[in-house]
Amino acid sequence: MSDAIKHECGIALIRLRKPYQYYLDKYNTPLYAVHKLSVMMEKQVNRGQDGAGIANIKIDIPPGKRYISRYRSVEPQPLTDIFSKVHKKFRKGLKNNKDKANDAQWLQENLAFTGEVWLGHLRYGTHGTNEVENCHPMLRQSNWRSRNLVMAGNFNMTNVDDLFGKLVSLGQHPKEKVDTVTVMEKIGHFLDEENQRVFERFKGIYENPILSNVIEENIDLQRLLYRSCRDFDGGYAMCGMTGYGASFVIRDPAGIRPAFYYADDEVVVVASEKQAIKAAFNVEYGQIQEITPGSALIIDKYGEYNELPILPRLEKRSCSFERIYFSRGTDPDIYYERKQLGKLLIPQILKEINYDLEHTIFSYIPNTAETAFLGMIEGLEEYLSKKRKQAIMEGILFEEDLEKVLSFRPRIEKLVTKDVKSRTFITADEVRDDMVSSVYDTTFEVVRKNVDTVVIIDDSIVRGTTLEKSILTMLDRLNPKKIVVVSSAPQIRFPDCYGIDMSRMKDFVAFRAAMALIEERDMEHLREEVYTQCVTAIATKNPNNTNFVKALYDPFTDDEVSNKIAEIIRPQGLNAELAVIFQTVDNLHLACPQHTGDWYFTGNYPTEGGNKVVNKAYANHHEGKLVRAY
């Protein structure tokens, strides 16, 4: 994706199911879990580069010994920073105690990060400043072991104001009105209540300190999570660890955010992506299971696990952007789907270039679009194969004509190269244009000047600003006759509010195109009508039933919007003709049939909160407010 957006975070959880001594004896290192967690997080670094954090809990450590450890970092290489500190702590602790390196009891009582339950998080900040305090895991502390809570997640809530109000009504005084704090405090509140419920049940039967152990044995995490999460509206995969060693991962009822797990007799592990589990534990993909939407994977103090229902399931609407761009393309299912996205674009591309393959060069940008590009080329080869068969069946009189038909191949070139390791889409807006110009380079002398058409495929087009300000100008220096920009994703028309930082209407080039068409066709009344509907719904506190913003697109065909987008992103002074092609929603569902979350393309939100957000986003735009809608 050449445009700048931030998106879903990454989670990783490891529960060692054997005593700590087991891993020392079998793997001959006290760092078995550290190594595994570092691999899981490194394989998900695509999901978050603003910061990272890890936390660890030891089970049944004697009083007076620290049993919760945590490191967080917002350094330029946060994973390197965190894990180098962990290794340094081990080297320092064992420097004068080398004979204790295989003594589990001594290690757990004297060294941090020697516990059985591990939680890691990679952050892309969609809200709040990039400070270490905003990095997960978050910690809610208590002197009562069973009341301690450590949490990390991949989530956005659409109803933070409502959740904040509920906390206040419960008597709390939250320090911030952000979904991270609100979610943790809400779960923490019901963890306290669950502790109290069990305490009241057994207080006349047992005395402390035995009563503390009885409380831990009888806490009902399924009940706790239902009471905590029943008011949540959003997309989430949230991990929690309690101070006594039980842990959980809960997934939203529509399965918007991804979560997968694997278990054997040594470990239970959870990650946002299957590839992370595959890389760390070398298991078959078929052994990795998806956590059921609306359910929680609950792992008790003893390492026994079960997947339990928490909330009523909704129609599954897992995020299709995971398939198009965010998740690692080395997952075999995602790799195939991305190739299909490229292949399904062939009819539109052939029509746009007037079937003139001889004078067309195919390429891609950025590197993450390579798989869709391979699918596009595969589709071209299939098209050419059919044309060859047709030519032979119809009969070719001259040998040179037959040779030409049989030997013709699509022209493939690497026209744009990213020549430094830099993630331009997370660079600050004020310096991003200069950054793009410096990190991309073009390949000269392969395009026949004013003769060839260049077709270049991108994962998706959000704002169009990188194309307008940098890439199209670079391509134009090659002097092509025409440039065709192809998006493997459909037009992004509506805000996302479940994980991706796309909440302002003006940021979408498709929305800008619709506004331009409305103005050109003297349909200003439509803008006012939609605004009135949105503010009325918000004012009556009933904004959840209808996405009124859809009406702004209804008068126009997809091609009309695409053509207007081409006009908008066309840089001043561009010499080549310019066309823009977008994937169709129907083809998206053909390529990714199990992942139907398409609200940013269609406006069909999986929860009521999505309609509230889109209506508020348009009202903000109409009023000139440059703020988030949730």
Side-chain angles (χ1 to χ4, degrees), residues 442-484:
T442 46
T443 305
F444 288 88
E445 306 303 329
V446 295
V447 176
R448 291 175 292 193
K449 296 180 179 180
N450 303 312
V451 173
D452 288 334
T453 292
V454 169
V455 174
I456 191 158
I457 190 169
D458 195 347
D459 308 282
S460 61
I461 301 169
V462 186
R463 299 178 178 92
T465 50
T466 306
L467 287 167
E468 177 186 359
K469 295 181 179 182
S470 302
I471 294 172
L472 289 174
T473 299
M474 288 190 290
L475 289 172
D476 197 47
R477 293 177 187 144
L478 304 177
N479 298 118
K481 179 181 179 181
K482 183 175 183 178
I483 300 171
V484 181

mmCIF file of all heavy atoms in Angstrom, residues 442-484:
data_model
loop_
_atom_site.group_PDB
_atom_site.id
_atom_site.type_symbol
_atom_site.label_atom_id
_atom_site.label_comp_id
_atom_site.label_asym_id
_atom_site.label_seq_id
_atom_site.Cartn_x
_atom_site.Cartn_y
_atom_site.Cartn_z
ATOM 1 N N THR A 442 13.454 4.833 -10.319
ATOM 2 C CA THR A 442 12.813 4.307 -11.527
ATOM 3 C C THR A 442 13.849 3.720 -12.472
ATOM 4 O O THR A 442 15.007 4.149 -12.499
ATOM 5 C CB THR A 442 12.032 5.410 -12.260
ATOM 6 O OG1 THR A 442 12.842 6.592 -12.349
ATOM 7 C CG2 THR A 442 10.761 5.739 -11.526
ATOM 8 N N THR A 443 13.416 2.758 -13.268
ATOM 9 C CA THR A 443 14.281 2.092 -14.241
ATOM 10 C C THR A 443 14.048 2.707 -15.625
ATOM 11 O O THR A 443 12.938 2.670 -16.157
ATOM 12 C CB THR A 443 13.974 0.585 -14.305
ATOM 13 O OG1 THR A 443 14.089 0.034 -12.988
ATOM 14 C CG2 THR A 443 14.935 -0.117 -15.244
ATOM 15 N N PHE A 444 15.098 3.282 -16.193
ATOM 16 C CA PHE A 444 14.981 3.978 -17.472
ATOM 17 C C PHE A 444 15.342 3.054 -18.653
ATOM 18 O O PHE A 444 15.907 1.972 -18.478
ATOM 19 C CB PHE A 444 15.889 5.212 -17.484
ATOM 20 C CG PHE A 444 15.390 6.324 -16.605
ATOM 21 C CD1 PHE A 444 15.750 6.379 -15.264
ATOM 22 C CD2 PHE A 444 14.545 7.307 -17.101
ATOM 23 C CE1 PHE A 444 15.290 7.389 -14.446
ATOM 24 C CE2 PHE A 444 14.072 8.327 -16.290
ATOM 25 C CZ PHE A 444 14.441 8.379 -14.967
ATOM 26 N N GLU A 445 14.984 3.506 -19.830
ATOM 27 C CA GLU A 445 15.359 2.891 -21.108
ATOM 28 C C GLU A 445 14.735 1.524 -21.343
ATOM 29 O O GLU A 445 15.282 0.723 -22.122
ATOM 30 C CB GLU A 445 16.895 2.792 -21.231
ATOM 31 C CG GLU A 445 17.634 4.103 -21.035
ATOM 32 C CD GLU A 445 17.179 5.194 -22.009
ATOM 33 O OE1 GLU A 445 16.777 4.865 -23.145
ATOM 34 O OE2 GLU A 445 17.202 6.375 -21.614
ATOM 35 N N VAL A 446 13.624 1.209 -20.705
ATOM 36 C CA VAL A 446 12.902 -0.021 -21.027
ATOM 37 C C VAL A 446 11.532 0.289 -21.618
ATOM 38 O O VAL A 446 10.912 -0.565 -22.248
ATOM 39 C CB VAL A 446 12.739 -0.941 -19.792
ATOM 40 C CG1 VAL A 446 14.086 -1.438 -19.314
ATOM 41 C CG2 VAL A 446 11.998 -0.241 -18.669
ATOM 42 N N VAL A 447 11.074 1.529 -21.439
ATOM 43 C CA VAL A 447 9.792 1.960 -22.003
ATOM 44 C C VAL A 447 10.067 2.673 -23.322
ATOM 45 O O VAL A 447 10.893 3.593 -23.383
ATOM 46 C CB VAL A 447 9.059 2.912 -21.029
ATOM 47 C CG1 VAL A 447 7.777 3.441 -21.667
ATOM 48 C CG2 VAL A 447 8.741 2.200 -19.725
ATOM 49 N N ARG A 448 9.385 2.238 -24.384
ATOM 50 C CA ARG A 448 9.506 2.921 -25.671
ATOM 51 C C ARG A 448 8.729 4.232 -25.593
ATOM 52 O O ARG A 448 7.511 4.225 -25.397
ATOM 53 C CB ARG A 448 8.999 2.040 -26.799
ATOM 54 C CG ARG A 448 9.897 0.829 -27.050
ATOM 55 C CD ARG A 448 9.350 -0.108 -28.080
ATOM 56 N NE ARG A 448 8.135 -0.777 -27.601
ATOM 57 C CZ ARG A 448 7.577 -1.841 -28.195
ATOM 58 N NH1 ARG A 448 8.128 -2.355 -29.278
ATOM 59 N NH2 ARG A 448 6.491 -2.377 -27.705
ATOM 60 N N LYS A 449 9.434 5.325 -25.737
ATOM 61 C CA LYS A 449 8.877 6.642 -25.461
ATOM 62 C C LYS A 449 7.693 6.960 -26.369
ATOM 63 O O LYS A 449 7.772 6.806 -27.593
ATOM 64 C CB LYS A 449 9.961 7.704 -25.610
ATOM 65 C CG LYS A 449 11.106 7.552 -24.594
ATOM 66 C CD LYS A 449 12.167 8.611 -24.762
ATOM 67 C CE LYS A 449 13.274 8.436 -23.714
ATOM 68 N NZ LYS A 449 14.327 9.454 -23.856
ATOM 69 N N ASN A 450 6.604 7.383 -25.699
ATOM 70 C CA ASN A 450 5.374 7.792 -26.370
ATOM 71 C C ASN A 450 4.748 6.683 -27.208
ATOM 72 O O ASN A 450 3.916 6.951 -28.075
ATOM 73 C CB ASN A 450 5.634 9.019 -27.264
ATOM 74 C CG ASN A 450 6.201 10.186 -26.478
ATOM 75 O OD1 ASN A 450 5.690 10.533 -25.418
ATOM 76 N ND2 ASN A 450 7.287 10.772 -26.991
ATOM 77 N N VAL A 451 5.139 5.443 -26.916
ATOM 78 C CA VAL A 451 4.592 4.286 -27.627
ATOM 79 C C VAL A 451 3.947 3.310 -26.651
ATOM 80 O O VAL A 451 2.821 2.845 -26.865
ATOM 81 C CB VAL A 451 5.690 3.564 -28.443
ATOM 82 C CG1 VAL A 451 5.138 2.259 -29.045
ATOM 83 C CG2 VAL A 451 6.228 4.478 -29.539
ATOM 84 N N ASP A 452 4.650 3.005 -25.574
ATOM 85 C CA ASP A 452 4.210 1.961 -24.640
ATOM 86 C C ASP A 452 3.240 2.500 -23.586
ATOM 87 O O ASP A 452 3.344 3.645 -23.139
ATOM 88 C CB ASP A 452 5.414 1.345 -23.928
ATOM 89 C CG ASP A 452 6.246 0.469 -24.845
ATOM 90 O OD1 ASP A 452 5.684 -0.047 -25.826
ATOM 91 O OD2 ASP A 452 7.446 0.297 -24.568
ATOM 92 N N THR A 453 2.347 1.610 -23.168
ATOM 93 C CA THR A 453 1.495 1.838 -22.001
ATOM 94 C C THR A 453 2.101 1.118 -20.809
ATOM 95 O O THR A 453 2.577 -0.014 -20.940
ATOM 96 C CB THR A 453 0.066 1.307 -22.254
ATOM 97 O OG1 THR A 453 -0.550 2.107 -23.251
ATOM 98 C CG2 THR A 453 -0.779 1.349 -20.990
ATOM 99 N N VAL A 454 2.100 1.765 -19.671
ATOM 100 C CA VAL A 454 2.585 1.154 -18.435
ATOM 101 C C VAL A 454 1.395 0.826 -17.545
ATOM 102 O O VAL A 454 0.583 1.701 -17.235
ATOM 103 C CB VAL A 454 3.555 2.102 -17.690
ATOM 104 C CG1 VAL A 454 3.829 1.584 -16.284
ATOM 105 C CG2 VAL A 454 4.852 2.255 -18.462
ATOM 106 N N VAL A 455 1.274 -0.455 -17.155
ATOM 107 C CA VAL A 455 0.252 -0.891 -16.207
ATOM 108 C C VAL A 455 0.955 -1.221 -14.903
ATOM 109 O O VAL A 455 1.828 -2.091 -14.869
ATOM 110 C CB VAL A 455 -0.515 -2.124 -16.730
ATOM 111 C CG1 VAL A 455 -1.473 -2.653 -15.657
ATOM 112 C CG2 VAL A 455 -1.273 -1.786 -18.002
ATOM 113 N N ILE A 456 0.591 -0.521 -13.839
ATOM 114 C CA ILE A 456 1.254 -0.733 -12.551
ATOM 115 C C ILE A 456 0.208 -1.032 -11.492
ATOM 116 O O ILE A 456 -0.777 -0.317 -11.348
ATOM 117 C CB ILE A 456 2.121 0.488 -12.181
ATOM 118 C CG1 ILE A 456 3.026 0.156 -10.991
ATOM 119 C CG2 ILE A 456 1.296 1.743 -11.942
ATOM 120 C CD1 ILE A 456 4.243 1.039 -10.890
ATOM 121 N N ILE A 457 0.400 -2.150 -10.769
ATOM 122 C CA ILE A 457 -0.592 -2.592 -9.791
ATOM 123 C C ILE A 457 -0.147 -2.232 -8.381
ATOM 124 O O ILE A 457 1.023 -2.332 -8.035
ATOM 125 C CB ILE A 457 -0.863 -4.108 -9.923
ATOM 126 C CG1 ILE A 457 -2.077 -4.518 -9.078
ATOM 127 C CG2 ILE A 457 0.353 -4.936 -9.570
ATOM 128 C CD1 ILE A 457 -2.569 -5.941 -9.373
ATOM 129 N N ASP A 458 -1.100 -1.777 -7.577
ATOM 130 C CA ASP A 458 -0.899 -1.433 -6.166
ATOM 131 C C ASP A 458 -1.861 -2.291 -5.351
ATOM 132 O O ASP A 458 -2.859 -2.785 -5.870
ATOM 133 C CB ASP A 458 -1.190 0.060 -5.958
ATOM 134 C CG ASP A 458 -0.664 0.596 -4.625
ATOM 135 O OD1 ASP A 458 -0.299 -0.212 -3.756
ATOM 136 O OD2 ASP A 458 -0.652 1.825 -4.452
ATOM 137 N N ASP A 459 -1.548 -2.489 -4.036
ATOM 138 C CA ASP A 459 -2.472 -3.229 -3.178
ATOM 139 C C ASP A 459 -3.822 -2.540 -3.108
ATOM 140 O O ASP A 459 -4.876 -3.161 -3.245
ATOM 141 C CB ASP A 459 -1.935 -3.333 -1.740
ATOM 142 C CG ASP A 459 -0.534 -3.853 -1.668
ATOM 143 O OD1 ASP A 459 -0.342 -5.065 -1.799
ATOM 144 O OD2 ASP A 459 0.362 -3.014 -1.493
ATOM 145 N N SER A 460 -3.775 -1.238 -2.835
ATOM 146 C CA SER A 460 -5.000 -0.463 -2.696
ATOM 147 C C SER A 460 -4.643 1.011 -2.792
ATOM 148 O O SER A 460 -3.484 1.394 -2.659
ATOM 149 C CB SER A 460 -5.684 -0.744 -1.346
ATOM 150 O OG SER A 460 -4.837 -0.378 -0.291
ATOM 151 N N ILE A 461 -5.646 1.819 -3.045
ATOM 152 C CA ILE A 461 -5.467 3.262 -3.135
ATOM 153 C C ILE A 461 -6.413 3.889 -2.133
ATOM 154 O O ILE A 461 -7.634 3.752 -2.257
ATOM 155 C CB ILE A 461 -5.753 3.781 -4.560
ATOM 156 C CG1 ILE A 461 -4.828 3.101 -5.570
ATOM 157 C CG2 ILE A 461 -5.588 5.293 -4.617
ATOM 158 C CD1 ILE A 461 -5.205 3.360 -7.020
ATOM 159 N N VAL A 462 -5.863 4.551 -1.138
ATOM 160 C CA VAL A 462 -6.683 5.162 -0.082
ATOM 161 C C VAL A 462 -6.843 6.648 -0.367
ATOM 162 O O VAL A 462 -7.891 7.111 -0.791
ATOM 163 C CB VAL A 462 -6.069 4.944 1.311
ATOM 164 C CG1 VAL A 462 -7.011 5.465 2.396
ATOM 165 C CG2 VAL A 462 -5.769 3.469 1.543
ATOM 166 N N ARG A 463 -5.775 7.396 -0.160
ATOM 167 C CA ARG A 463 -5.811 8.840 -0.374
ATOM 168 C C ARG A 463 -5.419 9.234 -1.791
ATOM 169 O O ARG A 463 -5.877 10.228 -2.319
ATOM 170 C CB ARG A 463 -4.873 9.532 0.609
ATOM 171 C CG ARG A 463 -5.224 9.304 2.077
ATOM 172 C CD ARG A 463 -4.196 9.988 2.978
ATOM 173 N NE ARG A 463 -4.522 9.830 4.388
ATOM 174 C CZ ARG A 463 -4.080 8.858 5.160
ATOM 175 N NH1 ARG A 463 -3.295 7.931 4.636
ATOM 176 N NH2 ARG A 463 -4.407 8.782 6.432
ATOM 177 N N GLY A 464 -4.516 8.471 -2.381
ATOM 178 C CA GLY A 464 -4.016 8.803 -3.713
ATOM 179 C C GLY A 464 -2.917 9.841 -3.704
ATOM 180 O O GLY A 464 -2.400 10.209 -4.762
ATOM 181 N N THR A 465 -2.519 10.310 -2.522
ATOM 182 C CA THR A 465 -1.549 11.399 -2.465
ATOM 183 C C THR A 465 -0.153 10.973 -2.904
ATOM 184 O O THR A 465 0.571 11.749 -3.531
ATOM 185 C CB THR A 465 -1.489 11.983 -1.041
ATOM 186 O OG1 THR A 465 -1.321 10.907 -0.103
ATOM 187 C CG2 THR A 465 -2.764 12.723 -0.706
ATOM 188 N N THR A 466 0.242 9.748 -2.588
ATOM 189 C CA THR A 466 1.578 9.289 -2.996
ATOM 190 C C THR A 466 1.649 9.143 -4.508
ATOM 191 O O THR A 466 2.666 9.475 -5.131
ATOM 192 C CB THR A 466 1.917 7.959 -2.315
ATOM 193 O OG1 THR A 466 1.769 8.102 -0.910
ATOM 194 C CG2 THR A 466 3.343 7.547 -2.624
ATOM 195 N N LEU A 467 0.575 8.651 -5.090
ATOM 196 C CA LEU A 467 0.531 8.567 -6.551
ATOM 197 C C LEU A 467 0.624 9.960 -7.156
ATOM 198 O O LEU A 467 1.413 10.209 -8.074
ATOM 199 C CB LEU A 467 -0.766 7.889 -6.997
ATOM 200 C CG LEU A 467 -0.870 6.383 -6.767
ATOM 201 C CD1 LEU A 467 -2.309 5.915 -6.946
ATOM 202 C CD2 LEU A 467 0.044 5.621 -7.715
ATOM 203 N N GLU A 468 -0.175 10.873 -6.617
ATOM 204 C CA GLU A 468 -0.249 12.220 -7.180
ATOM 205 C C GLU A 468 1.069 12.968 -7.036
ATOM 206 O O GLU A 468 1.544 13.617 -7.980
ATOM 207 C CB GLU A 468 -1.368 12.991 -6.483
ATOM 208 C CG GLU A 468 -1.496 14.440 -6.924
ATOM 209 C CD GLU A 468 -2.517 15.194 -6.099
ATOM 210 O OE1 GLU A 468 -3.136 14.589 -5.203
ATOM 211 O OE2 GLU A 468 -2.686 16.407 -6.350
ATOM 212 N N LYS A 469 1.679 12.881 -5.867
ATOM 213 C CA LYS A 469 2.822 13.740 -5.571
ATOM 214 C C LYS A 469 4.171 13.124 -5.924
ATOM 215 O O LYS A 469 5.168 13.844 -5.972
ATOM 216 C CB LYS A 469 2.804 14.104 -4.084
ATOM 217 C CG LYS A 469 1.595 14.940 -3.696
ATOM 218 C CD LYS A 469 1.629 15.308 -2.225
ATOM 219 C CE LYS A 469 0.424 16.164 -1.840
ATOM 220 N NZ LYS A 469 0.448 16.571 -0.418
ATOM 221 N N SER A 470 4.211 11.814 -6.150
ATOM 222 C CA SER A 470 5.526 11.201 -6.341
ATOM 223 C C SER A 470 5.557 10.185 -7.472
ATOM 224 O O SER A 470 6.274 10.353 -8.462
ATOM 225 C CB SER A 470 5.986 10.532 -5.038
ATOM 226 O OG SER A 470 6.029 11.457 -3.991
ATOM 227 N N ILE A 471 4.774 9.123 -7.348
ATOM 228 C CA ILE A 471 4.957 7.958 -8.212
ATOM 229 C C ILE A 471 4.578 8.240 -9.655
ATOM 230 O O ILE A 471 5.301 7.856 -10.583
ATOM 231 C CB ILE A 471 4.173 6.760 -7.641
ATOM 232 C CG1 ILE A 471 4.783 6.342 -6.302
ATOM 233 C CG2 ILE A 471 4.171 5.594 -8.617
ATOM 234 C CD1 ILE A 471 3.992 5.312 -5.544
ATOM 235 N N LEU A 472 3.456 8.909 -9.879
ATOM 236 C CA LEU A 472 3.052 9.187 -11.265
ATOM 237 C C LEU A 472 4.059 10.090 -11.962
ATOM 238 O O LEU A 472 4.346 9.903 -13.155
ATOM 239 C CB LEU A 472 1.662 9.814 -11.294
ATOM 240 C CG LEU A 472 0.514 8.866 -10.952
ATOM 241 C CD1 LEU A 472 -0.813 9.622 -10.875
ATOM 242 C CD2 LEU A 472 0.406 7.742 -11.977
ATOM 243 N N THR A 473 4.609 11.061 -11.246
ATOM 244 C CA THR A 473 5.626 11.937 -11.840
ATOM 245 C C THR A 473 6.869 11.146 -12.213
ATOM 246 O O THR A 473 7.465 11.358 -13.290
ATOM 247 C CB THR A 473 5.989 13.062 -10.856
ATOM 248 O OG1 THR A 473 4.814 13.830 -10.581
ATOM 249 C CG2 THR A 473 7.065 13.965 -11.431
ATOM 250 N N MET A 474 7.271 10.211 -11.323
ATOM 251 C CA MET A 474 8.437 9.376 -11.632
ATOM 252 C C MET A 474 8.183 8.520 -12.867
ATOM 253 O O MET A 474 9.038 8.385 -13.733
ATOM 254 C CB MET A 474 8.786 8.502 -10.429
ATOM 255 C CG MET A 474 9.395 9.257 -9.266
ATOM 256 S SD MET A 474 10.044 8.148 -7.987
ATOM 257 C CE MET A 474 8.528 7.481 -7.334
ATOM 258 N N LEU A 475 6.994 7.921 -12.945
ATOM 259 C CA LEU A 475 6.670 7.089 -14.107
ATOM 260 C C LEU A 475 6.609 7.922 -15.387
ATOM 261 O O LEU A 475 7.010 7.463 -16.467
ATOM 262 C CB LEU A 475 5.343 6.370 -13.885
ATOM 263 C CG LEU A 475 5.340 5.253 -12.844
ATOM 264 C CD1 LEU A 475 3.919 4.760 -12.597
ATOM 265 C CD2 LEU A 475 6.221 4.090 -13.287
ATOM 266 N N ASP A 476 6.131 9.147 -15.272
ATOM 267 C CA ASP A 476 6.010 9.995 -16.463
ATOM 268 C C ASP A 476 7.367 10.348 -17.050
ATOM 269 O O ASP A 476 7.486 10.616 -18.251
ATOM 270 C CB ASP A 476 5.241 11.270 -16.094
ATOM 271 C CG ASP A 476 4.705 12.000 -17.321
ATOM 272 O OD1 ASP A 476 4.105 11.320 -18.190
ATOM 273 O OD2 ASP A 476 4.874 13.219 -17.419
ATOM 274 N N ARG A 477 8.397 10.333 -16.195
ATOM 275 C CA ARG A 477 9.743 10.610 -16.708
ATOM 276 C C ARG A 477 10.234 9.525 -17.661
ATOM 277 O O ARG A 477 11.200 9.721 -18.389
ATOM 278 C CB ARG A 477 10.722 10.746 -15.536
ATOM 279 C CG ARG A 477 10.468 11.974 -14.665
ATOM 280 C CD ARG A 477 11.413 12.011 -13.495
ATOM 281 N NE ARG A 477 11.064 13.085 -12.565
ATOM 282 C CZ ARG A 477 11.187 13.006 -11.264
ATOM 283 N NH1 ARG A 477 11.671 11.890 -10.707
ATOM 284 N NH2 ARG A 477 10.859 14.021 -10.493
ATOM 285 N N LEU A 478 9.587 8.365 -17.629
ATOM 286 C CA LEU A 478 9.933 7.289 -18.564
ATOM 287 C C LEU A 478 9.301 7.505 -19.927
ATOM 288 O O LEU A 478 9.544 6.728 -20.860
ATOM 289 C CB LEU A 478 9.475 5.942 -17.997
ATOM 290 C CG LEU A 478 10.007 5.576 -16.607
ATOM 291 C CD1 LEU A 478 9.411 4.249 -16.137
ATOM 292 C CD2 LEU A 478 11.520 5.508 -16.601
ATOM 293 N N ASN A 479 8.453 8.524 -20.047
ATOM 294 C CA ASN A 479 7.784 8.909 -21.296
ATOM 295 C C ASN A 479 6.875 7.831 -21.871
ATOM 296 O O ASN A 479 6.896 7.552 -23.083
ATOM 297 C CB ASN A 479 8.818 9.311 -22.349
ATOM 298 C CG ASN A 479 9.626 10.523 -21.924
ATOM 299 O OD1 ASN A 479 10.846 10.437 -21.781
ATOM 300 N ND2 ASN A 479 8.955 11.644 -21.716
ATOM 301 N N PRO A 480 6.030 7.185 -21.051
ATOM 302 C CA PRO A 480 5.054 6.255 -21.623
ATOM 303 C C PRO A 480 3.933 7.028 -22.318
ATOM 304 O O PRO A 480 3.690 8.212 -22.027
ATOM 305 C CB PRO A 480 4.510 5.519 -20.401
ATOM 306 C CG PRO A 480 4.603 6.531 -19.307
ATOM 307 C CD PRO A 480 5.864 7.332 -19.589
ATOM 308 N N LYS A 481 3.264 6.358 -23.211
ATOM 309 C CA LYS A 481 2.100 6.966 -23.867
ATOM 310 C C LYS A 481 0.937 7.061 -22.881
ATOM 311 O O LYS A 481 0.194 8.049 -22.864
ATOM 312 C CB LYS A 481 1.693 6.128 -25.077
ATOM 313 C CG LYS A 481 0.471 6.670 -25.818
ATOM 314 C CD LYS A 481 0.107 5.769 -26.996
ATOM 315 C CE LYS A 481 -1.136 6.307 -27.703
ATOM 316 N NZ LYS A 481 -1.532 5.422 -28.838
ATOM 317 N N LYS A 482 0.795 6.022 -22.028
ATOM 318 C CA LYS A 482 -0.335 5.970 -21.099
ATOM 319 C C LYS A 482 0.107 5.248 -19.832
ATOM 320 O O LYS A 482 0.935 4.327 -19.882
ATOM 321 C CB LYS A 482 -1.514 5.234 -21.744
ATOM 322 C CG LYS A 482 -2.776 5.168 -20.909
ATOM 323 C CD LYS A 482 -3.909 4.509 -21.706
ATOM 324 C CE LYS A 482 -5.213 4.494 -20.917
ATOM 325 N NZ LYS A 482 -6.330 3.907 -21.710
ATOM 326 N N ILE A 483 -0.440 5.674 -18.707
ATOM 327 C CA ILE A 483 -0.216 5.002 -17.431
ATOM 328 C C ILE A 483 -1.554 4.497 -16.923
ATOM 329 O O ILE A 483 -2.520 5.267 -16.840
ATOM 330 C CB ILE A 483 0.407 5.952 -16.384
ATOM 331 C CG1 ILE A 483 1.759 6.485 -16.865
ATOM 332 C CG2 ILE A 483 0.572 5.230 -15.045
ATOM 333 C CD1 ILE A 483 2.316 7.598 -15.989
ATOM 334 N N VAL A 484 -1.608 3.207 -16.586
ATOM 335 C CA VAL A 484 -2.818 2.612 -16.011
ATOM 336 C C VAL A 484 -2.472 2.141 -14.611
ATOM 337 O O VAL A 484 -1.665 1.236 -14.427
ATOM 338 C CB VAL A 484 -3.337 1.435 -16.855
ATOM 339 C CG1 VAL A 484 -4.609 0.857 -16.231
ATOM 340 C CG2 VAL A 484 -3.603 1.875 -18.293
#
